[in-house]
Amino acid sequence: MRKSLLFIVVAFLSFRAAAQELPFVKEPVFQPGEVLTYKLKYGFITAAEGTLKVFNSDLKFEGNPTYRLSVDGVTSGTFDIFYKIRDHYDSYIDKVNLKPYFFQENIREGSYRRQDKARFNQEERKVVATKGTFIAPSNQTFDLVSSYYFARSLDVSKMKSGDFVKLNYFLSDEISQLQIQYLGKEVIKTKLGKISCLKFSPSIKPGRIFRKDSKLYLWITDDGNRVPVKAQVEILVGSVIMEIKSADGLRYPLAIVK
């Protein structure tokens, strides 16, 4: 259940990986100082809010400089009264190839508590985590936070409607694969204005939250930032929508449609 909740809040934003490495743009589309905030709505009610931040890090792994990516997820309003969530995640990624070296999470959901850590060895295709050592299918494996930022930097310039992007990610005690289909372009109305977007449909697994025929749609700005601005997924009862609230410290102007 908690894995599914985390998938909704964070992997809403992520792009299954084959053995061949996925191509990405020459420099990251994000920069230190970028702060993105989102709200997660169930019907007309705002159930949770998320904040994503990029920092320069003083830590080096294998002599390489890193960014620290930070994500906070909290429940709000009525949801916060009945089931309080205070989740925090940190991912340290290489400044050049954007692969993660280290990931940690501090989960507080109701009375449930969990702290996990994971160390990524991309060359040996291993993830050494709190619950053991896991063998990765390629040397390009991510945690959910770093997968989001890497996906934003993927080179999608040659993608056509119907094409797929695949990516590996590690979560808790397993390495999973996510496949996302590109559906074309749309203009989306957001709090920041009308924005030209690329539309994707990530694959999801049916279970305690998702129906067998549930669909997930994700809209990302069609500009240099590649910022997710909206996501919508059908669940067992109703649907959940994620919308952007604010975007500060972006590297490029947003693709606002006048």
Side-chain angles (χ1 to χ4, degrees):
M1 176 67 171
R2 292 184 176 89
K3 288 184 182 180
S4 297
L5 288 171
L6 177 60
F7 182 88
I8 292 177
V9 176
V10 182
F12 245 151
L13 311 170
S14 304
F15 273 93
R16 175 168 168 187
Q20 182 179 3
E21 290 199 3
L22 295 169
F24 56 95
V25 294
K26 292 184 178 180
E27 64 178 357
V29 300
F30 54 86
Q31 62 184 355
E34 181 189 270
V35 181
L36 305 174
T37 62
Y38 296 88
K39 61 181 178 180
L40 197 70
K41 298 173 62 178
Y42 179 68
F44 296 102
I45 303 173
T46 298
E49 297 185 353
T51 303
L52 296 83
K53 300 179 181 179
V54 181
F55 300 94
N56 273 315
S57 171
D58 294 331
L59 294 181
K60 290 187 177 182
F61 290 83
E62 301 166 13
N64 300 318
T66 61
Y67 294 116
R68 177 168 72 90
L69 312 175
S70 173
V71 175
D72 288 283
V74 302
T75 44
S76 58
T78 304
F79 281 81
D80 198 51
I81 297 174
F82 293 100
Y83 191 73
K84 190 182 297 292
I85 292 177
R86 296 293 185 271
D87 293 346
H88 178 80
Y89 312 90
D90 287 303
S91 180
Y92 292 83
I93 67 171
D94 190 282
K95 281 191 172 183
V96 177
N97 61 37
L98 309 183
K99 298 177 186 179
Y101 289 110
F102 180 74
F103 171 76
Q104 60 184 1
E105 59 181 5
N106 183 3
I107 307 299
R108 295 186 294 160
E109 299 179 358
S111 60
Y112 178 79
R113 299 289 186 271
R114 187 182 79 238
Q115 291 183 328
D116 281 343
K117 298 179 181 180
R119 178 71 163 89
F120 292 79
N121 187 321
Q122 302 288 354
E123 294 303 316
E124 295 185 8
R125 300 186 178 185
K126 291 195 304 184
V127 180
V128 181
T130 304
K131 296 183 179 180
T133 299
F134 304 84
I135 304 302
S138 76
N139 60 355
Q140 206 173 39
T141 301
F142 304 87
D143 56 78
L144 281 183
V145 177
S146 61
S147 67
Y148 159 60
Y149 286 92
F150 180 83
R152 285 175 55 190
S153 295
L154 280 173
D155 185 359
V156 296
S157 60
K158 297 181 180 180
M159 290 190 70
K160 300 178 182 178
S161 182
D163 288 350
F164 289 88
V165 175
K166 302 176 183 180
L167 187 118
N168 295 316
Y169 67 91
F170 173 79
L171 176 61
S172 184
D173 59 357
E174 64 179 347
I175 295 175
S176 300
Q177 300 179 315
L178 184 66
Q179 179 172 278
I180 299 182
Q181 185 178 29
Y182 173 56
L183 299 180
K185 298 184 179 183
E186 286 188 9
V187 174
I188 297 297
K189 185 177 181 181
T190 75
K191 186 176 181 180
L192 308 180
K194 291 184 178 180
I195 300 178
S196 180
C197 293
L198 306 174
K199 184 179 181 180
F200 295 87
S201 179
S203 60
I204 54 179
K205 296 179 180 179
R208 295 179 62 181
I209 289 183
F210 304 120
R211 303 195 310 263
K212 185 177 180 180
D213 59 345
S214 291
K215 298 293 184 182
L216 170 59
Y217 297 106
L218 176 67
W219 290 267
I220 297 175
T221 59
D222 187 16
D223 55 30
N225 301 294
R226 293 288 193 263
V227 173
V229 294
K230 183 180 179 180
Q232 181 173 338
V233 64
E234 301 164 338
I235 57 177
L236 292 177
V237 180
S239 63
V240 174
I241 296 175
M242 184 196 74
E243 296 176 336
I244 195 165
K245 288 181 61 180
S246 63
D248 299 310
L250 297 179
R251 183 181 289 271
Y252 306 102
L254 286 173
I256 301 293
V257 176
K258 298 182 180 180

